[in-house]
């Protein structure tokens, strides 16, 4: 029987409609996009067999089509086709050029590139606030560079490709050109070496300025004066900043500049501009992991990018990068005194050469300590640290003022203190102490608390009990004394205030964090033994007083017009820990039926929630911590008799700092919500360790910025600690 004719026969293709590969091999083609079925089948059969040694299979089918007249070539087109088109255009424009321009590879500067952009239309303008559908910036603001055709006409197709410090183009684009064995005239002339993935020089300078002025984390690893000076060099100069650092700076600075942010249904944010530069930075990191090239500047870029991930609350990347940084710094010998060791230098490994000068030495120190600080902060949830404190021999860094002035480096010996120094947490040499050093010591002290908790629980058969006395455990009392008392009491007189200026117009974020972090460490140390049913529980007293200190610090800041989103992102963790204690206290008041004090505690919990949400408007870590806190509050929200417990004490407007709580929620005696039977708490001399240091600098009325203003005293928990607990 004859075969029935098919009714769905595919129509014949027009001339040149098939893909280039099928036309070349004279195979049937269905002209499917982006890859035809024939090419897909051949590619699948190719990758099903392991490749020979030294050869890698293509990542996608090699299928391309002729460009449509009037439209740009598709992004997946063969690079050789793009080069051929550019060469045709160059040939047409050569007759119109009267003379070719010459570029001095040593004298060209970003300002010169900006002039070229204005005269020769070498930039395609795009806006910080607007984005194209494909994610690349568009509009007017951020300017991404593109080579104009008259610039391409100066080159012959066989121009050589020289990169004195390594190409500034992105690794994936450069790798693609090298695999095709095709000369790269486009990348050779882009602004005489300018990275096409970076904004134009003027916009990049603005991002760098914002980064140094606003970022409280990653900017510590860079020497600002020399970095700004190196930006005036030619992009191919070996002293020009590494492009990985520039991409990381763009990603970090976008937090304070870009407004094109997409909020996903789960609450996470996506900034297309930041995501672009994050991907470029990670490409350099991946290349360095494979080749070891430019390992130190790429490690600095990794640190900047890690803090960006932390502020975004992207915890998986935070933990991965924390481990990568600490392990990568070990072969560089940054954990040795002087960040270099001649012992074993001949053994295999990617060791750095000795520091070139004192500025290079101090830069390495700061890079190391920012790596360790990130590791300690990322581990506060109870994770084992990437490197043990006993394996750190690097001296503490110098003061920032001495680091910025190179003349001071030549006349100042290295910091005599390291973690192995006696009384390093209670001795602060004036010539080697500033607010950043105090903040660093506070974080390292928190690291000791994390070490104690993780090692105590590692081989424990039972979890800690709230009924046991932790001061009977080995090493607990000594650690508690340093964390809860001695460290804050040992601050020099000029650093005993919170860092807020008298008129409330300026804030030292490092000093503010140096005062807050020890209280968060105290809560972490004592929280497993928190027992509100026992009025003589020292752990309960420690946690409540630490929570009040954190609340008082926030109230002091909320009285000013300062932007709390400029604080270090670790402050959100401190607020969260204080809110956890208040949540447990609120549950206790609900159980005993104390409605008045329960309402006061609700106001304090909501004040901390409001602080996290305000911080979350700039950095998602605040929103994520507040959402985590709401998960812990589910039980007390169900138990409470308050009509709207999550709205108690929350200001009506974001700028309403004058009254965080309704007047009816403020006790008439201006005291906070005390513990039940607080008068039964023992005196300092009767406790395992004295309580004289709980207030620290909080009760000092003579120091600048002390917490004794009448407005502050009218708020719950903003009074001196001694008003509730005997000192």
């Amino acid at each position: 029987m004859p075969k029935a004719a098919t009714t769905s026969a595919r129509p014949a293709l027009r001339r040149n409609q098939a893909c280039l590969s099928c036309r070349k091999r004279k195979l049937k083609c269905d002209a499917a996009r982006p890859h035809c079925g024939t090419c897909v089948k051949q590619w699948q059969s190719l990758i099903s067999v392991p490749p020979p040694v030294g050869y890698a299979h293509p990542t996608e089918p090699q299928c391309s089509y002729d460009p449509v007249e009037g439209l740009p070539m598709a992004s997946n087109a063969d690079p050789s086709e793009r080069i051929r088109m550019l060469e045709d255009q160059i040939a047409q424009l050569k007759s119109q050029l009267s003379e070719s321009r010459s570029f001095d590879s040593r004298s060209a500067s970003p300002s010169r590139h900006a002039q070229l952009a204005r005269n020769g239309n070498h930039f395609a303008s795009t806006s910080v606030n607007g984005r194209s559908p494909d994610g690349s910036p568009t509009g007017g603001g951020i300017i991404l560079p593109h080579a104009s055709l008259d610039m391409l006409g100066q080159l012959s197709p066989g121009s050589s490709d020289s990169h004195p410090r390594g190409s500034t183009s992105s690794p994936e684009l450069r790798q693609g050109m090298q695999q095709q064995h095709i000369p790269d005239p486009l990348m050779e002339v882009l602004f005489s070496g300018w990275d096409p993935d970076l904004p134009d020089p003027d916009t990049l300078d603005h991002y760098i300025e914002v980064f140094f002025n606003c970022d409280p984390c990653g900017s510590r690893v860079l020497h600002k004066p020399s970095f700004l000076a190196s930006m005036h060099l030619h992009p191919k100069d070996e002293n020009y900043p590494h492009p990985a650092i520039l991409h990381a700076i763009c990603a970090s600075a976008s937090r304070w500049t870009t407004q094109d942010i997409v909020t996903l249904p789960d609450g996470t944010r996506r900034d297309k501009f930041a995501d672009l530069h994050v991907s470029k930075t990670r490409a350099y990191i991946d290349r360095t992991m494979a080749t070891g090239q430019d390992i130190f500047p790429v490690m600095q870029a990794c640190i900047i990018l890690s803090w960006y991930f932390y502020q975004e609350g992207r915890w998986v990347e935070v933990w991965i990068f924390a481990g990568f940084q600490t392990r990568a710094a070990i072969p560089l010998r940054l954990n040795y005194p002087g960040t270099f060791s001649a012992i074993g230098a001949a053994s295999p490994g990617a060791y750095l050469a000795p520091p070139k000068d004192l500025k290079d030495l101090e830069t390495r120190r700061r890079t190391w300590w920012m790596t360790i600080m990130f590791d300690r902060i990322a581990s506060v949830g109870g994770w084992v640290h990437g490197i043990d404190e006993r394996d750190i021999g690097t001296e503490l860094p110098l003061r920032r003022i001495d680091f910025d002035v190179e003349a001071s480096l030549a006349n100042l010996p290295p910091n005599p203190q390291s973690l192995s120094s006696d009384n390093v947490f209670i001795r602060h040499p004036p010539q080697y102490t500033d607010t950043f050093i105090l903040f660093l010591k506070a974080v390292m002290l928190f690291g000791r608390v994390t070490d104690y908790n993780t090692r105590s629980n590692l081989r424990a058969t039972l979890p800690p009990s709230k009924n046991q006395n932790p001061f009977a455990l080995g090493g607990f009392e000594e650690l508690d004394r340093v964390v809860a008392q001695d460290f804050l009491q040992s601050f020099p007189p000029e650093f005993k205030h919170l860092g807020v200026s008298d008129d409330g117009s300026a804030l030292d974020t490092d000093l503010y964090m140096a005062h807050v972090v020890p209280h968060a460490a105290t809560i972490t140390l004592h929280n497993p033994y928190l027992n509100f049913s026992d009025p003589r529980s020292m752990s309960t007293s420690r946690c409540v007083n630490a929570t009040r200190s954190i609340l008082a610090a926030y109230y002091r800041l909320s009285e000013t017009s300062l932007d709390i989103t400029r604080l270090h992102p670790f402050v959100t963790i401190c607020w969260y820990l204080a809110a956890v204690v208040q949540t447990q206290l609120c549950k206790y008041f609900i159980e005993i039926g104390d409605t008045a004090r329960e309402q006061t505690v609700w106001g304090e919990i909501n004040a901390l929630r409001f602080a996290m949400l305000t911080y979350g408007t700039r950095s998602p870590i605040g929103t994520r911590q507040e959402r985590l806190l709401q998960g812990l509050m589910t039980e007390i929200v169900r138990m409470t008799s308050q009509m709207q417990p999550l709205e108690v004490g929350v200001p009506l407007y974001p700028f309403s700092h004058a009254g965080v709580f309704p007047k009816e929620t403020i006790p008439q005696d201006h005291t906070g919500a005390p513990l039940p039977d607080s008068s039964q708490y023992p005196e300092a001399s009767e406790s395992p360790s004295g309580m004289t240091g709980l207030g620290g600098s909080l009760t000092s009325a003579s120091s600048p910025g002390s917490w004794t203003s009448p407005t502050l005293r009218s708020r719950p928990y903003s009074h001196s600690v001694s008003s509730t607990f005997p000192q």
Side-chain angles (χ1 to χ4, degrees):
M1 188 170 79
K3 229 175 162 183
T6 58
T7 59
S8 61
R10 185 175 52 204
L13 300 178
R14 296 190 302 272
R15 182 178 180 83
N16 294 338
Q17 191 176 357
C19 72
L20 299 177
S21 178
C22 291
R23 283 157 49 190
K24 182 178 180 181
R25 293 179 291 175
K26 297 182 179 180
L27 299 175
K28 289 184 179 181
C29 181
D30 57 7
R33 302 298 180 102
H35 309 299
C36 72
T38 304
C39 291
V40 170
K41 290 180 181 179
Q42 292 187 351
W43 175 71
Q44 290 176 343
S45 63
L46 176 65
I47 64 175
S48 63
V49 180
V53 178
Y55 174 80
H57 288 319
T59 58
E60 60 182 10
Q62 302 300 306
C63 181
S64 59
Y65 293 87
D66 286 334
V68 180
E69 185 67 24
L71 295 177
M73 293 197 65
S75 58
N76 61 346
D78 189 356
S80 61
E81 292 297 326
R82 294 201 297 268
I83 296 299
R84 181 182 60 80
M85 290 186 61
L86 291 175
E87 290 176 350
D88 293 341
Q89 293 173 342
I90 290 172
Q92 295 175 8
L93 293 173
K94 275 187 176 180
S95 59
Q96 303 176 13
L97 293 176
S98 59
E99 59 181 9
S100 62
R101 300 171 189 163
S102 60
F103 292 90
D104 186 355
S105 62
R106 299 291 294 180
S107 61
S109 65
S111 61
R112 172 59 176 164
H113 297 323
Q115 183 66 29
L116 290 175
R118 290 188 290 270
N119 296 337
N121 192 23
H122 297 312
F123 290 132
S125 298
T126 54
S127 173
V128 176
N129 300 331
R131 297 290 190 274
S132 63
D134 61 352
S136 59
T138 60
I142 293 182
I143 303 176
L144 293 181
H146 297 279
S148 59
L149 295 178
D150 61 342
M151 194 173 180
L152 294 174
Q154 304 165 46
L155 296 180
S156 61
S159 59
S160 61
D161 184 15
S162 60
H163 305 285
R165 65 156 297 165
S167 173
T168 57
S169 59
S170 59
E172 62 269 22
L173 181 57
R174 184 167 61 253
Q175 181 180 5
M177 287 298 181
Q178 292 173 352
Q179 288 180 350
Q180 296 293 334
H181 301 287
I182 296 174
D184 188 11
L186 178 62
M187 299 308 299
E188 178 68 17
V189 299
L190 274 175
F191 304 115
S192 202
W194 188 259
D195 188 343
D197 297 316
L198 289 171
D200 71 275
D202 291 337
T203 304
L204 181 59
D205 290 342
H206 171 67
Y207 276 108
I208 293 174
E209 180 182 1
V210 170
F211 172 73
F212 279 109
N213 291 337
C214 299
D215 188 90
C217 308
S219 59
R220 312 295 187 186
V221 303
L222 302 175
H223 184 250
K224 182 178 178 180
S226 61
F227 186 87
L228 296 179
S230 64
M231 287 300 299
H232 296 286
L233 300 174
H234 185 270
K236 287 187 177 181
D237 192 290
E238 62 179 5
N239 294 319
Y240 189 78
H242 196 281
I245 296 179
L246 299 179
H247 283 297
I249 288 177
C250 288
S252 180
S254 66
R255 186 181 311 282
W256 291 276
T257 55
T258 184
Q259 297 179 4
D260 183 29
I261 299 174
V262 178
T263 303
L264 302 179
D266 60 351
T268 58
R269 305 188 316 168
R270 285 301 178 190
D271 182 349
K272 295 180 181 179
F273 177 81
D275 288 344
L276 168 67
H277 292 284
V278 166
S279 64
K280 297 301 177 183
T281 308
R282 298 187 75 157
Y284 282 103
I285 295 174
D286 293 340
R287 188 193 66 174
T288 299
M289 291 175 63
T291 64
Q293 183 179 355
D294 302 328
I295 187 170
F296 185 71
V298 171
M299 182 177 176
Q300 290 180 308
C302 182
I303 294 174
I304 298 174
L305 189 61
S306 299
W307 286 111
Y308 170 81
F309 288 145
Y310 188 84
Q311 290 173 309
E312 290 288 312
R314 294 161 63 169
W315 302 122
V316 174
E317 285 127 323
V318 165
W319 294 324
I320 291 175
F321 273 67
F324 167 72
Q325 290 169 194
T326 51
R327 299 313 304 169
I330 299 303
L332 303 184
R333 301 296 178 95
L334 298 182
N335 62 319
Y336 279 75
T339 67
F340 177 78
S341 174
I343 301 175
S347 60
Y351 302 139
L352 292 178
K356 297 180 295 185
D357 49 32
L358 295 176
K359 181 188 69 177
D360 187 27
L361 171 61
E362 185 62 20
T363 301
R364 294 187 184 186
R365 283 200 194 105
R366 287 181 167 264
T367 300
W368 166 256
W369 282 112
M370 286 305 297
T371 299
I372 297 302
M373 176 182 284
F374 185 78
D375 174 68
R376 264 48 185 178
I377 288 179
S379 303
V380 297
W383 308 99
V384 177
H385 293 141
I387 183 171
D388 193 282
E389 184 178 304
R390 295 168 294 184
D391 300 322
I392 300 176
T394 312
E395 313 88 354
L396 292 177
L398 300 176
R399 298 181 303 177
R400 184 61 183 261
I401 188 174
D402 297 324
F403 179 49
D404 289 341
V405 182
E406 294 191 43
S408 301
L409 293 175
N411 302 323
L412 191 65
N415 195 321
Q417 285 192 320
S418 65
L419 291 183
S420 60
S421 302
D422 294 334
N423 301 322
V424 64
F425 292 109
I426 60 176
R427 290 184 62 253
H428 314 289
Q431 197 174 7
Y432 298 95
T433 300
D434 65 359
T435 57
F436 173 70
I437 303 298
L438 293 176
F439 179 32
L440 174 61
K441 289 183 177 181
V443 172
M444 297 307 298
L445 194 58
F446 204 137
R448 288 195 174 183
V449 173
T450 304
D451 284 334
Y452 183 88
N453 288 342
T454 54
R455 290 168 182 170
S456 299
N457 299 331
L458 184 61
R459 295 178 176 85
T461 57
L462 296 174
S465 173
K466 63 180 182 180
N467 296 319
Q468 69 181 116
N469 179 18
F471 290 91
L473 303 176
F476 186 93
E477 183 173 353
E478 293 77 8
L479 182 59
D480 169 77
R481 182 182 298 109
V482 176
V483 173
Q485 302 180 67
D486 295 348
F487 178 66
L488 284 174
Q489 285 182 342
S490 65
F491 276 20
E494 63 271 23
F495 299 129
K496 284 187 175 295
H497 61 95
L498 272 176
V500 182
S501 60
D502 294 336
D503 58 357
S505 61
L507 172 67
D508 188 328
T509 59
D510 289 336
L511 185 55
Y512 187 90
M513 294 302 299
H515 279 275
V516 171
V517 169
H519 298 303
T522 301
I523 294 174
T524 304
L525 181 64
H526 286 274
N527 190 64
Y529 313 100
L530 195 61
N531 185 7
F532 290 106
S533 301
D534 182 8
R536 303 183 66 85
S537 170
M538 184 56 60
S539 292
T540 304
S541 174
R542 287 278 197 258
C543 289
V544 170
N545 281 279
T547 300
R548 291 176 176 176
S549 299
I550 294 175
L551 277 165
Y554 169 67
Y555 291 150
R556 175 67 183 94
L557 197 59
S558 65
E559 290 177 338
T560 69
S561 60
L562 296 171
D563 183 7
I564 67 172
T565 63
R566 298 280 293 273
L567 289 171
H568 195 282
F570 189 45
V571 73
T572 59
I573 306 298
C574 300
W575 291 335
Y576 172 80
L577 292 173
V580 169
V581 174
Q582 294 299 88
T583 300
Q584 298 177 70
L585 180 60
C586 184
K587 179 182 178 182
Y588 176 78
F589 286 147
I590 293 174
E591 291 175 344
I592 65 175
D594 195 333
T595 307
R597 288 191 287 185
E598 176 201 344
Q599 186 179 18
T600 302
V601 175
W602 271 116
E604 293 159 352
I605 294 175
N606 291 330
L608 295 171
R609 288 181 52 242
F610 179 74
M612 297 179 202
L613 292 174
T614 303
Y615 198 92
T617 60
R618 181 86 65 182
S619 302
I621 184 177
T623 306
R624 289 176 179 265
Q625 290 303 123
E626 193 276 338
R627 189 181 305 140
L628 185 62
L629 176 63
Q630 283 206 28
L632 295 177
M633 294 168 55
T634 303
E635 183 179 6
I636 61 172
V637 170
R638 186 176 62 252
M639 295 171 56
T640 184
S641 60
Q642 303 288 330
M643 296 300 297
Q644 293 178 324
L646 298 182
E647 298 180 8
V648 176
V650 176
L652 296 179
Y653 305 100
F655 52 83
S656 179
H657 297 303
V660 177
F661 301 99
K663 292 182 179 180
E664 60 270 15
T665 65
I666 303 178
Q668 296 300 319
D669 56 355
H670 303 303
T671 61
L675 289 173
D677 301 324
S678 59
S679 60
Q680 299 179 13
Y681 270 86
E683 295 291 339
S685 58
E686 300 174 0
S687 64
S689 60
M691 297 178 61
T692 56
L694 280 176
S697 61
L698 309 185
T699 58
S700 174
S702 60
S703 61
S706 58
W707 300 0
T708 56
S709 62
T711 305
L712 183 61
R713 286 184 177 274
S714 66
R715 299 187 177 192
Y717 286 8
S718 60
H719 56 282
S720 172
V721 175
S722 60
S723 63
T724 302
F725 297 103
Q727 293 283 329

